[in-house]
């Protein structure tokens, strides 16, 4: 085999003069990467589908709070089905085989669904804050109509913001010479200049993260006070069973919220820092590192169904009912009754 033929093996488009280089990896490494990424995709799609079907199927789960959760699940499910598979091939092969227009659509959808997912997590934190800290006014403030309005605004804002940035090209202002130097046939990379990188991080991570952490700290404080009051009631009354169970539920809810917030920060903090910092260092960080951080952020969409499935009793019962009844064919109807 000649040198040129060997070189062509590692090109995305061997017959194109300006082809991007294909990622040079061992077959074992490629198979391992495909396996891990495919597992994340399947967890994301089927886990969130289970949440969507559960809330749609059981009337006991149809509340304003769960309407936000369902919309979040739709967002994460679309991310897993429409974005992640193409990102997987690009990450493993180092090539984009679908052209520039589809590349822009893919980048826009990626940004749309990620921003929408993070904003939905903020909506959930606001909803929980009102429910726990001001329960008397909660039912008046939070209705299906008001929640639908906020969810609709979240989707429209995420869509318009992302698609307008990518298709207008404002993200690349000032980077024209660099992009021209780095561009090749078979690549799909979204470069953000300093201004838009910082703006996107503030909008998609800092603002939702600040809202979530601030409200959850307040929630933890209120739950701690409630638990203390309930424990004092237990010591002076003979009907302490209900108080103990209420205190236990509130503590468990606080721990679940802490888990949601912790997973959010662990998954998104590295990618957000990288996104904000890379333009200031002329994008010197290897693409492999950036892809790894991106997939670590994607993993948050796979974790959300696990959190609800393992820590919320109602979802546990709904999941068991759906799996045993419609997949295994068993009669599991007794789990349809929620406490």
């Amino acid at each position: 085999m000649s040198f040129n033929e060997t070189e062509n093996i590692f090109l995305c488009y061997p017959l194109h003069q300006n082809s991007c280089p294909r990622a040079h990896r061992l077959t074992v490494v490629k198979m391992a990467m495909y396996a891990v990424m495919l597992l994340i995709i399947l967890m994301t799609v089927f886990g969130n589908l289970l949440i969507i079907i559960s809330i749609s199927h059981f009337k006991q789960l149809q509340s304003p709070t769960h309407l936000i959760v369902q919309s979040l699940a739709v967002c994460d499910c679309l991310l897993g089905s429409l974005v992640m598979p193409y990102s997987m091939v690009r990450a493993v092969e180092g090539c984009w085989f679908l052209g520039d227009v589809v590349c822009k659509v893919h980048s826009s959808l990626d940004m749309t669904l990620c921003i929408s997912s993070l904003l939905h997590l903020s909506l959930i934190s606001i909803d929980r804050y009102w429910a726990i800290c001001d329960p008397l006014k909660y039912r008046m403030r939070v209705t299906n109509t008001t929640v639908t309005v906020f969810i609709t605004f979240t989707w429209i804002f995420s869509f318009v913001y992302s698609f307008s940035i990518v298709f207008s090209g404002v993200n690349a202002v000032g980077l024209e010479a660099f992009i021209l130097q780095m561009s090749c046939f078979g690549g799909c990379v979204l470069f953000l200049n300093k201004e838009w990188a910082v703006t996107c991080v503030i909008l998609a991570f800092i603002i939702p993260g600040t809202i979530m952490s601030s409200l959850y700290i307040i929630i933890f404080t209120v739950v701690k006070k409630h638990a203390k009051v309930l424990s004092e009631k237990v010591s002076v009354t003979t009907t302490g069973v209900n108080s103990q169970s209420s205190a236990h539920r509130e503590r468990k809810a606080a721990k679940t919220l802490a888990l949601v917030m912790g997973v959010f920060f662990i998954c998104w903090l590295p990618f957000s820092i990288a996104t904000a910092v890379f333009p200031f260092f002329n994008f010197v960080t290897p693409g492999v590192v950036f892809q790894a951080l991106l997939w670590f952020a994607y993993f948050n969409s796979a974790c959300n169904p696990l959190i609800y499935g393992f820590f919320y009793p109602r979802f546990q019962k709904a999941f068991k009912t759906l799996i045993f009844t419609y997949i295994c064919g068993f009669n599991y109807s007794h789990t349809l009754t929620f406490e």
Side-chain angles (χ1 to χ4, degrees), residues 92-147:
V92 177
E93 302 295 340
C95 300
W96 181 263
F97 300 106
L98 300 175
D100 291 337
V101 176
V102 180
C103 172
K104 286 186 176 182
V105 173
H106 176 267
S107 299
S108 302
L109 272 178
D110 193 350
M111 190 184 296
T112 297
L113 296 173
C114 287
I115 291 176
S116 180
S117 179
L118 298 179
L119 294 180
H120 274 82
L121 290 173
S122 298
L123 287 180
I124 293 174
S125 67
I126 296 171
D127 174 84
R128 291 298 83 205
Y129 168 77
W130 279 341
I132 294 175
C133 299
D134 197 359
L136 296 178
K137 295 181 180 179
Y138 175 74
R139 290 191 177 184
M140 297 176 58
R141 288 177 177 174
V142 183
T143 63
N144 287 338
T145 302
T146 56
V147 166

Side-chain angles (χ1 to χ4, degrees), residues 256-314:
T256 305
L257 293 177
L259 182 62
V260 171
M261 188 173 66
V263 171
F264 164 77
F265 278 108
I266 290 172
C267 291
W268 278 100
L269 182 60
F271 177 75
S272 299
I273 293 175
T275 301
V277 169
F278 281 0
F280 293 90
F281 292 91
N282 295 322
F283 306 95
V284 294
T285 303
V288 176
V289 175
F290 194 82
Q291 288 294 331
L293 296 178
L294 175 62
W295 276 89
F296 200 56
Y298 282 160
F299 187 61
N300 183 237
S301 297
C303 289
N304 290 331
L306 296 177
I307 293 172
Y308 290 110
F310 282 106
F311 293 94
Y312 284 89
R314 287 192 170 191

Side-chain angles (χ1 to χ4, degrees), residues 20-164:
C20 293
R22 185 185 289 266
H24 186 194
R25 296 188 177 95
L26 295 174
T27 304
V28 176
V29 176
K30 283 189 176 184
M31 295 304 294
M33 291 177 67
Y34 273 123
V36 172
M37 292 178 183
L38 190 60
L39 179 62
I40 294 175
I41 291 173
L42 292 176
M43 288 172 58
T44 302
V45 173
F46 289 105
N48 285 288
L49 269 178
L50 205 53
I51 287 182
I52 296 168
I53 295 171
S54 296
I55 296 175
S56 301
H57 187 76
F58 300 115
K59 292 183 178 180
Q60 295 91 335
L61 293 176
Q62 294 173 4
S63 66
T65 301
H66 292 145
L67 192 61
I68 305 174
V69 173
Q70 187 179 39
S71 183
L72 171 64
V74 170
C75 181
D76 289 338
C77 188
L78 290 175
L79 184 67
S81 57
L82 299 180
V83 174
M84 289 188 192
Y86 304 102
S87 297
M88 175 180 66
V89 176
R90 180 182 60 188
V92 177
E93 302 295 340
C95 300
W96 181 263
F97 300 106
L98 300 175
D100 291 337
V101 176
V102 180
C103 172
K104 286 186 176 182
V105 173
H106 176 267
S107 299
S108 302
L109 272 178
D110 193 350
M111 190 184 296
T112 297
L113 296 173
C114 287
I115 291 176
S116 180
S117 179
L118 298 179
L119 294 180
H120 274 82
L121 290 173
S122 298
L123 287 180
I124 293 174
S125 67
I126 296 171
D127 174 84
R128 291 298 83 205
Y129 168 77
W130 279 341
I132 294 175
C133 299
D134 197 359
L136 296 178
K137 295 181 180 179
Y138 175 74
R139 290 191 177 184
M140 297 176 58
R141 288 177 177 174
V142 183
T143 63
N144 287 338
T145 302
T146 56
V147 166
T148 302
V149 171
F150 278 102
I151 289 174
T152 304
F153 172 78
T154 297
W155 278 100
I156 293 175
F157 172 78
S158 301
F159 182 86
V160 172
Y161 175 83
S162 302
F163 274 80
S164 61

Side-chain angles (χ1 to χ4, degrees), residues 1 9 49 112 152 155 232 262 319 325 332:
M1 185 179 290
I9 295 175
L49 269 178
T112 297
T152 304
W155 278 100
E232 290 175 354
F319 290 173
T325 303
Y332 209 69

Side-chain angles (χ1 to χ4, degrees), residues 5-30:
E5 289 175 336
T6 305
E7 187 182 45
N8 286 342
I9 295 175
F10 303 114
L11 294 177
C12 297
Y13 290 89
L15 300 180
H16 198 280
Q17 189 175 8
N18 189 33
S19 173
C20 293
R22 185 185 289 266
H24 186 194
R25 296 188 177 95
L26 295 174
T27 304
V28 176
V29 176
K30 283 189 176 184

